[in-house]
Amino acid sequence: MSGALLQTAETWLIGKGASALAAPARQLSLAYREGSSSSDPRIEVRAYVASRLPATLAATNRVLAELAGLAPEWRPASVLDLGAGPGTASWAAAAQ
């Protein structure tokens, strides 16, 4: 399912101009560090999907794989996904 999320993100970004998202992605990172948000949520969403979603998904997949290795019998009954953009951690958890 994680692959489906990345494929959907890539398809959605086609024609959006990756180079045009470089500055918004930098602004998004700065806003995260400052605890603020950008002036245009539509651009912020595109910048997040282009620049942060893949890394957040990969990091969450890695953490879940490590947990599975440490406690293979543990099966979480639910997931609370806060602050991960468009449910990125939920996508990773559902793929496990």
Side-chain angles (χ1 to χ4, degrees):
M1 190 175 295
S2 296
L5 175 61
L6 291 177
Q7 184 177 12
T8 300
E10 288 172 7
T11 300
W12 182 69
L13 289 170
I14 291 173
K16 302 286 195 264
S19 61
L21 295 175
R26 284 192 300 277
Q27 292 172 343
L28 180 62
S29 290
L30 180 62
Y32 281 171
R33 286 192 292 276
E34 293 177 347
S36 62
S37 63
S38 76
S39 58
D40 188 342
R42 292 168 300 173
I43 292 173
E44 186 174 296
V45 168
R46 284 189 212 116
Y48 174 87
V49 169
S51 66
R52 301 189 74 91
L53 182 141
T56 301
L57 184 63
T60 305
N61 281 330
R62 176 62 188 255
V63 167
L64 293 172
E66 290 291 324
L67 284 171
L70 292 171
E73 69 288 344
W74 181 60
R75 298 285 183 257
S78 64
V79 174
L80 178 61
D81 183 358
L82 297 174
T88 309
S90 293
W91 280 85
Q96 298 297 313

